[in-house]
Amino acid sequence: MSDLQIAAPLLPILICPDPLLRRMARAVTPGDAEEVRALIPSMFATMYKAPGIGLAAPQVGRLLRVITVDVAPDKEPAPLALINPEIIGASAETAVQEEGCLSIPEQYAEVTRPAQVRVRYQDEEGARREIEAEGLLAACLQHEIDHLNGVLFVDYLSALKRNILLRKLAKAQKDLQAKR
Ligand code: NI
């Protein structure tokens, strides 16, 4: 768990099958500036606390195209917030990573995605930026951008694997509620 603590209100993370997780998030416009300025620190605080390496705004109930990532919070914290991120290039070569999701707690599966991606986005100051990623960061960016389109990592699994995983999740959530 990261020592990096961000003084911002924590947000409740929506758990699958919450219907908001399946909605399309809309692009951030200049009119959203104030909301996004408050949202990003809270997303980082929530992500680090969870702990997780990525979070998308729909996971905290905001249907805006905003994601936060930090794939190595224990080593060298490198918080990265991406507004209106867009994959503008992807390698033909693929890679397999074991993925999990804060909205699908404690369930993991191997997912195959392009090994390298190029992502265009706006930073917190509204500047246009691009990032080229490979390895875990590439998978994480693709996973989080998927959330903005209502896509979850389980969608990449066979129907059989997906159903088993979602049934395990439903049971774990039910047990958790029974304990409360
Ligand atoms: Ni996720």
Side-chain angles (χ1 to χ4, degrees):
M1 169 122 184
S2 170
D3 290 334
L4 196 61
Q5 299 214 337
I6 297 199
L10 296 175
L11 301 166
I13 297 174
L14 303 182
I15 304 297
C16 187
D18 191 299
L20 275 186
L21 294 170
R22 290 308 196 172
R23 297 264 304 272
M24 186 75 125
R26 70 166 175 84
V28 171
T29 65
D32 301 312
E34 206 174 312
E35 182 180 359
V36 168
R37 223 182 343 260
L39 176 61
I40 288 174
S42 273
M43 284 177 63
F44 276 120
T46 303
M47 181 183 91
Y48 286 123
K49 174 89 193 307
I53 60 170
L55 189 67
Q59 293 181 274
V60 291
R62 311 286 182 89
L63 291 171
L64 288 171
R65 301 189 81 83
V66 178
I67 64 174
T68 54
V69 301
D70 188 347
V71 293
D74 297 327
K75 290 175 199 153
E76 212 177 303
L80 184 62
L82 298 89
I83 297 167
N84 297 331
E86 214 185 320
I87 295 171
I88 55 168
S91 63
E93 186 201 340
T94 59
V96 179
Q97 295 273 354
E98 179 163 87
E99 296 191 20
C101 181
L102 294 177
S103 294
I104 307 176
E106 281 157 48
Q107 307 299 324
Y108 304 90
E110 289 192 333
V111 178
T112 304
R113 300 181 186 271
Q116 288 116 24
V117 287
R118 192 169 185 85
V119 176
R120 182 180 290 159
Y121 66 100
Q122 286 156 258
D123 68 15
E124 287 163 86
E125 274 73 51
R128 280 272 193 199
R129 291 185 178 277
E130 280 184 21
I131 183 173
E132 218 169 70
E134 57 177 12
L136 185 58
L137 181 60
C140 184
L141 286 170
Q142 292 175 79
H143 175 123
E144 301 311 330
I145 292 170
D146 273 351
H147 273 298
L148 305 180
N149 300 322
V151 173
L152 302 174
F153 81 89
V154 294
D155 299 344
Y156 294 91
L157 309 178
S158 69
L160 179 67
K161 272 192 189 166
R162 178 167 60 246
N163 289 339
I164 291 170
L165 191 150
L166 292 177
R167 260 204 303 271
K168 280 201 307 199
L169 173 67
K171 186 180 181 307
Q173 291 299 114
K174 212 171 136 191
D175 292 349
L176 205 66
Q177 259 156 25
K179 266 187 230 150
R180 277 196 193 129

PDB file of all heavy atoms in Angstrom, residues 59 100-102 143-144 147, ligand 1:
ATOM      1  N   GLN A  59     -16.535   4.893 -12.362  1.00  0.00           N
ATOM      2  CA  GLN A  59     -16.479   3.993 -11.201  1.00  0.00           C
ATOM      3  C   GLN A  59     -16.854   4.701  -9.904  1.00  0.00           C
ATOM      4  O   GLN A  59     -17.160   4.057  -8.909  1.00  0.00           O
ATOM      5  CB  GLN A  59     -15.081   3.394 -11.052  1.00  0.00           C
ATOM      6  CG  GLN A  59     -14.701   2.442 -12.176  1.00  0.00           C
ATOM      7  CD  GLN A  59     -13.323   1.866 -11.941  1.00  0.00           C
ATOM      8  OE1 GLN A  59     -12.327   2.470 -12.311  1.00  0.00           O
ATOM      9  NE2 GLN A  59     -13.260   0.704 -11.306  1.00  0.00           N
ATOM     10  N   GLY A 100      -7.414  -6.900 -12.789  1.00  0.00           N
ATOM     11  CA  GLY A 100      -8.457  -6.859 -11.783  1.00  0.00           C
ATOM     12  C   GLY A 100      -9.129  -5.513 -11.928  1.00  0.00           C
ATOM     13  O   GLY A 100      -8.756  -4.720 -12.799  1.00  0.00           O
ATOM     14  N   CYS A 101     -10.103  -5.227 -11.097  1.00  0.00           N
ATOM     15  CA  CYS A 101     -10.829  -3.964 -11.222  1.00  0.00           C
ATOM     16  C   CYS A 101     -11.454  -3.633  -9.875  1.00  0.00           C
ATOM     17  O   CYS A 101     -12.009  -4.516  -9.228  1.00  0.00           O
ATOM     18  CB  CYS A 101     -11.923  -4.128 -12.281  1.00  0.00           C
ATOM     19  SG  CYS A 101     -12.876  -2.632 -12.551  1.00  0.00           S
ATOM     20  N   LEU A 102     -11.338  -2.377  -9.467  1.00  0.00           N
ATOM     21  CA  LEU A 102     -11.899  -1.989  -8.171  1.00  0.00           C
ATOM     22  C   LEU A 102     -13.422  -2.142  -8.158  1.00  0.00           C
ATOM     23  O   LEU A 102     -14.022  -2.241  -7.091  1.00  0.00           O
ATOM     24  CB  LEU A 102     -11.502  -0.549  -7.822  1.00  0.00           C
ATOM     25  CG  LEU A 102      -9.994  -0.346  -7.594  1.00  0.00           C
ATOM     26  CD1 LEU A 102      -9.679   1.123  -7.337  1.00  0.00           C
ATOM     27  CD2 LEU A 102      -9.481  -1.215  -6.452  1.00  0.00           C
ATOM     28  N   HIS A 143      -7.536  -0.419 -20.044  1.00  0.00           N
ATOM     29  CA  HIS A 143      -8.586  -0.854 -19.110  1.00  0.00           C
ATOM     30  C   HIS A 143      -9.411   0.357 -18.633  1.00  0.00           C
ATOM     31  O   HIS A 143     -10.641   0.314 -18.611  1.00  0.00           O
ATOM     32  CB  HIS A 143      -7.907  -1.573 -17.930  1.00  0.00           C
ATOM     33  CG  HIS A 143      -8.803  -1.982 -16.807  1.00  0.00           C
ATOM     34  ND1 HIS A 143      -8.920  -3.280 -16.368  1.00  0.00           N
ATOM     35  CD2 HIS A 143      -9.633  -1.265 -16.005  1.00  0.00           C
ATOM     36  CE1 HIS A 143      -9.784  -3.333 -15.355  1.00  0.00           C
ATOM     37  NE2 HIS A 143     -10.216  -2.119 -15.117  1.00  0.00           N
ATOM     38  N   GLU A 144      -8.708   1.437 -18.271  1.00  0.00           N
ATOM     39  CA  GLU A 144      -9.419   2.614 -17.741  1.00  0.00           C
ATOM     40  C   GLU A 144     -10.199   3.341 -18.836  1.00  0.00           C
ATOM     41  O   GLU A 144     -11.308   3.817 -18.591  1.00  0.00           O
ATOM     42  CB  GLU A 144      -8.445   3.574 -17.047  1.00  0.00           C
ATOM     43  CG  GLU A 144      -7.661   2.984 -15.877  1.00  0.00           C
ATOM     44  CD  GLU A 144      -8.515   2.244 -14.866  1.00  0.00           C
ATOM     45  OE1 GLU A 144      -9.695   2.601 -14.685  1.00  0.00           O
ATOM     46  OE2 GLU A 144      -8.015   1.278 -14.269  1.00  0.00           O
ATOM     47  N   HIS A 147     -13.459   1.774 -19.415  1.00  0.00           N
ATOM     48  CA  HIS A 147     -14.500   2.157 -18.450  1.00  0.00           C
ATOM     49  C   HIS A 147     -15.296   3.361 -18.955  1.00  0.00           C
ATOM     50  O   HIS A 147     -16.482   3.482 -18.666  1.00  0.00           O
ATOM     51  CB  HIS A 147     -13.864   2.551 -17.106  1.00  0.00           C
ATOM     52  CG  HIS A 147     -13.636   1.401 -16.173  1.00  0.00           C
ATOM     53  ND1 HIS A 147     -14.653   0.621 -15.674  1.00  0.00           N
ATOM     54  CD2 HIS A 147     -12.495   0.913 -15.624  1.00  0.00           C
ATOM     55  CE1 HIS A 147     -14.144  -0.301 -14.856  1.00  0.00           C
ATOM     56  NE2 HIS A 147     -12.833  -0.144 -14.805  1.00  0.00           N
TER      57      HIS A 147
HETATM   58 NI    NI B   1     -11.475  -1.248 -13.649  1.00  0.00          NI
END
